[in-house]
Amino acid sequence: MVEMHLLSVNVDFSYNPIYGLGVVTTFDRFMQGYQPERDKESIFSALCQAVEQDEQRYRQDAERLQGIAESLPVNDLIAWLSQSTTLDRDADLQAQLQAIANNPKFKYNRLFAIGLFSLLEISDPELVKDEKQRNEALKKIASGLHLSDDKFTKDLDLYRSNLDKIAQALVVMADMLLADRKKREQRKQQSTTTVAPPSTNE
């Protein structure tokens, strides 16, 4: 939320669908395991309203880009994102990519980087798991869009590291809840078990 707010007041920042996908993906990933589940949408809505944005725009753009990534071979997607080729798949996104590549004042941000990474992950989950292939793809995209390769890679390394930590925390939490449930069940069984009084010899 802090980054969204800082970007919203930056004169060089303008919304684009890839940034929108990054926001949605970050929220969904970092809110995994949140209970009650039904409150997540209202929290996302409040988050967007806090920076005077429309949550439906974010969700719709994210869904549209996810559909594009699912329909493209990853090499075609990389070539498109790096602007080494153009595709007639989505005229709006094509225009956005060209504008970013040609704008020396483009306000790069981590949420935009996460949006790009999410597109790769959706298109080919195995590619992003392979360090060599992942780094090669990121370098091509960074070069084509005139982004800082070093910052781009570091931001995504931090993002992936945080995802790993969250996944580990969820496992620990699940284990703790299971252990607590077993203890409560054991106590319940003990309290309902009737202990026969010792017999006396007459």
Side-chain angles (χ1 to χ4, degrees), residues 20-181:
L21 174 61
V23 170
V24 170
T25 302
T26 301
F27 179 85
D28 289 346
R29 287 288 185 85
F30 288 172
M31 291 293 283
Q32 282 183 355
Y34 181 87
Q35 296 295 332
E37 179 79 19
R38 63 180 179 275
D39 288 349
K40 287 166 67 172
E41 275 308 311
S42 60
I43 293 172
F44 183 72
S45 177
L47 176 67
C48 293
Q49 290 175 16
V51 290
E52 300 180 346
Q53 295 292 321
D54 178 10
E55 71 271 18
Q56 289 303 317
R57 182 187 190 188
Y58 283 82
R59 288 291 185 190
Q60 289 169 4
D61 281 344
E63 185 176 344
R64 176 165 60 91
L65 265 60
Q66 287 166 355
I68 292 172
E70 288 171 352
S71 67
L72 284 176
V74 71
N75 288 333
D76 290 350
L77 179 65
I78 293 169
W80 191 24
L81 293 176
S82 63
Q83 289 296 277
S84 60
T85 188
T86 58
L87 296 176
D88 297 328
R89 190 60 60 92
D90 189 300
D92 175 64
L93 183 57
Q94 175 60 44
Q96 293 273 358
L97 289 169
Q98 287 180 334
I100 290 167
N102 295 326
N103 181 7
K105 291 187 177 181
F106 171 70
K107 183 60 180 176
Y108 166 84
N109 57 85
R110 277 171 291 193
L111 293 168
F112 176 78
I114 292 170
L116 289 171
F117 180 81
S118 299
L119 289 170
L120 293 178
E121 188 175 34
I122 293 166
S123 179
D124 189 345
E126 295 306 313
L127 180 141
V128 298
K129 294 177 183 177
D130 185 291
E131 183 178 2
K132 182 180 178 181
Q133 292 186 70
R134 181 180 67 246
N135 288 338
E136 287 177 354
L138 295 178
K139 283 183 179 180
K140 287 180 182 178
I141 295 170
S143 176
L145 295 180
H146 301 142
L147 308 176
S148 167
D149 174 52
D150 183 58
K151 184 166 179 54
F152 187 37
T153 302
K154 285 182 178 178
D155 283 344
L156 290 176
D157 284 344
L158 177 61
Y159 169 67
R160 293 172 56 252
S161 174
N162 286 336
L163 288 181
D164 288 341
K165 290 176 182 177
I166 289 175
Q168 292 169 11
L170 288 173
V171 171
V172 172
M173 189 179 300
D175 289 343
M176 290 173 62
L177 290 173
L178 180 61
D180 182 63
R181 189 179 301 116

